[in-house]
Amino acid sequence: KKLLEATFFNPATGQEFKADWFIITQYLFQRHFYISGVVLLMTVMTFVLGGFLTYHIWLTSRGMTTNESVKWGQVIKWHKQESKRYQHAVKNGLVSEQMDASNASSVVTDGDVTCTGAADPAPTANGQRGEEESETPIYDPGPMPKNIYDNGMVENWREVFYPKSLRQDSLDRWKRSLHASRSSSDDPPPQQQAAKPKVS
C-alpha cells in the first residue's frame, strides 16, 4: 500500500489526517507490533554493529588492538601536555633549550612507547631545581613516538589474512630450529668415567 498517499482519521472524533512518517509509524506499531518491533531493533543494531565494525577496521588499518588504542590515546594526551609545558617553560625562562638538550640524553627509547624512560628534572635558569620542577620535571618530549608495529594499511591487513607465522621464511626457520633440537637430543650423552676405589 502507498501509505504516504493514504488518509488517516481518528475513529473517536472522525477527524482526518494527511499521512506523514509519525502517523505511519503509529499505524504500523498498532497493526503490526511484532514486525515493527523487529524492524526497529534491527535498525538500532545496524548502527551499533556498523560503528563497531568501523572502529575495528580502523584499528586493523593502524596495526593496533583495542587495548593499545587506549594506551596510544594516553600517550598522545601526555605528549601534548608535556610539549605545552615545555614551550611555556622556555618562554618564561624556566628552562633553556641548551640545558634541555644536554638533559635529553637521559631519555632512552627503542621506538616503543612502553620502553621510554623519563628524563631527570630540568634545571632552572639559575641552575637550581624548584620544588615544583623536582616533582614534575620539565623537558622536551621530542617528536611524537611512532607505532613500530604499524607497517601500513596494506601490510597490516595482509598480516591478518596471511600471518607472518605461516609465511615460508617463518616455516623455514621453524624447521631449522626443530631439526637442530632433534639433532641435539639424538646425540649420546658423554660417558662418565668409573669411580676408582680409594687405596689406603
Side-chain angles (χ1 to χ4, degrees), residues 116-130:
T116 304
D120 293 330
T124 57
N126 57 5
Q128 298 179 354
R129 304 178 190 271

Side-chain angles (χ1 to χ4, degrees), residues 44-86:
V44 173
M45 293 306 298
T46 298
F47 286 101
V48 173
L49 295 179
F52 187 77
L53 175 63
T54 303
Y55 175 62
H56 281 80
I57 290 176
W58 176 80
L59 285 178
T60 305
S61 301
R62 298 294 299 274
M64 293 187 298
T65 63
T66 307
N67 187 31
E68 290 172 349
S69 67
V70 174
K71 292 182 178 180
W72 272 107
Q74 296 173 351
V75 170
I76 294 173
K77 182 179 179 181
W78 167 84
H79 188 269
K80 289 182 179 180
Q81 291 177 347
E82 292 301 318
S83 298
K84 186 179 297 184
R85 289 180 64 242
Y86 173 73

Side-chain angles (χ1 to χ4, degrees), residues 6-26:
T7 301
F8 297 85
F9 68 94
N10 189 338
T13 61
Q15 185 179 3
E16 295 184 353
F17 299 95
K18 292 184 178 180
D20 57 21
W21 286 109
F22 180 72
I23 294 178
I24 292 175
T25 302
Q26 286 183 319

Side-chain angles (χ1 to χ4, degrees), residues 184-192:
S184 61
S185 62
D186 292 340
D187 293 338
Q191 295 180 355
Q192 297 180 355

Side-chain angles (χ1 to χ4, degrees), residues 25 54-55 63 105 137 159 162 170 175:
T25 302
T54 303
Y55 175 62
S105 60
E159 191 171 344
Y162 187 34
S170 300
K175 290 179 181 178

Side-chain angles (χ1 to χ4, degrees), residues 113-182:
V113 296
T114 59
C115 299
T116 304
D120 293 330
T124 57
N126 57 5
Q128 298 179 354
R129 304 178 190 271
E131 295 180 357
E132 182 179 356
E133 284 77 8
S134 61
E135 296 178 356
T136 56
I138 300 175
Y139 58 89
D140 185 6
M144 177 64 194
K146 295 183 179 180
N147 183 6
I148 61 177
Y149 304 105
D150 184 6
N151 299 318
M153 183 177 66
V154 175
E155 184 61 28
N156 291 338
W157 279 100
R158 183 168 176 259
E159 191 171 344
V160 171
F161 295 103
Y162 187 34
K164 292 182 178 179
S165 59
L166 298 180
R167 300 178 187 180
Q168 190 60 40
D169 53 347
S170 300
L171 294 176
D172 292 340
R173 288 195 303 268
W174 175 76
K175 290 179 181 178
R176 287 195 298 268
S177 62
L178 183 63
H179 178 72
S181 62
R182 286 181 176 177

